[in-house]
Amino acid sequence: MTEFTERRPRELVQPIILLVDRVDPAGQDAGIAAAALASVRAYLLGPDNPDWRAWAEGAFAKSVRRADAKMFAKVLAAFPDHALAEVGAARAAGLPPMPADTMPKLLAKLQVSGTRLPDGEPLPPQPLTIVLNGSLDMSTGKAAAQAAHALFAWLLDAGQPAVAAWADAGFPVGIVHAGAREFRKGARRAAGPVIQDAGRTEIEPGSTTAYVVTEFGRH
């Protein structure tokens, strides 16, 4: 079983902005899936950007930040190079990597910790499904970051034909929250790296958090 370790940002971080509507927030699974999709679709918009290469070779860091509808619209207008992902009622915007210590004020002031969405409707398994370690009781924001790690790690390992097949199918993403035993057992079928968290927020160091299972790329 391959493991991928989340590390502390060194230079570059990818911001992912998750819409958390104050009146009618989307469900948790839809928000997690939208954040993960926004992350990888931002990369697919410009994979030749040298910042992506430096980021992927470095800390592979992501920052999931929440915004209400007004602030979310401001982010979309201020960063035209964003990638917008919508899953059900959930919306998220992925941006290219940027220096963590000089992040624009509009993004830096958005909250990171404590992001929770209501349970909402589950997202059933799809031809590509992100499996999360449900025994860790991660917040929506933490789970979204781990899901994005897992999806991005799969994308970088999968090869162009598998990614193209996933894109042609409309980027389907399912979300499964597995118990500890089920998560460990299912990791044997992981199509890419199993994410191992550094444990700097919410969970214990070395906790395995997420992986992808998929039909794309099978022979």
Side-chain angles (χ1 to χ4, degrees), residues 79-158:
F79 299 93
D81 54 350
H82 69 267
L84 182 65
E86 300 186 35
V87 178
R91 302 177 76 202
L95 303 179
M98 57 185 64
D101 57 351
T102 58
M103 186 174 292
K105 290 182 180 179
L106 179 62
L107 301 178
K109 67 182 181 181
L110 297 177
Q111 290 292 321
V112 178
S113 62
T115 298
R116 289 190 180 272
L117 289 172
D119 289 342
E121 293 294 323
L123 288 183
Q126 297 290 327
L128 185 148
T129 295
I130 301 170
V131 182
L132 294 163
N133 189 341
S135 70
L136 298 175
D137 192 28
M138 294 180 282
S139 69
T140 305
K142 182 70 172 180
Q146 300 306 302
H149 282 315
L151 188 57
F152 219 112
W154 169 80
L155 183 141
L156 293 180
D157 274 8

Side-chain angles (χ1 to χ4, degrees), residues 9-136:
R10 296 175 182 174
E11 279 189 278
L12 296 173
V13 60
Q14 184 198 20
I16 305 168
I17 313 306
L18 178 63
L19 172 62
V20 179
D21 192 276
R22 294 181 179 180
V23 177
D24 189 20
Q28 175 174 249
D29 284 0
I32 292 169
L37 277 173
S39 173
V40 300
R41 294 184 73 174
Y43 169 77
L44 292 173
L45 284 178
D48 295 330
N49 180 338
D51 286 345
W52 280 115
R53 184 174 303 173
W55 172 85
E57 292 174 352
F60 212 72
K62 297 178 179 66
S63 176
V64 177
R65 296 171 178 268
R66 67 180 181 270
D68 62 17
K70 183 177 179 180
M71 288 301 297
F72 192 78
K74 286 185 177 181
V75 169
L76 298 189
F79 299 93
D81 54 350
H82 69 267
L84 182 65
E86 300 186 35
V87 178
R91 302 177 76 202
L95 303 179
M98 57 185 64
D101 57 351
T102 58
M103 186 174 292
K105 290 182 180 179
L106 179 62
L107 301 178
K109 67 182 181 181
L110 297 177
Q111 290 292 321
V112 178
S113 62
T115 298
R116 289 190 180 272
L117 289 172
D119 289 342
E121 293 294 323
L123 288 183
Q126 297 290 327
L128 185 148
T129 295
I130 301 170
V131 182
L132 294 163
N133 189 341
S135 70
L136 298 175

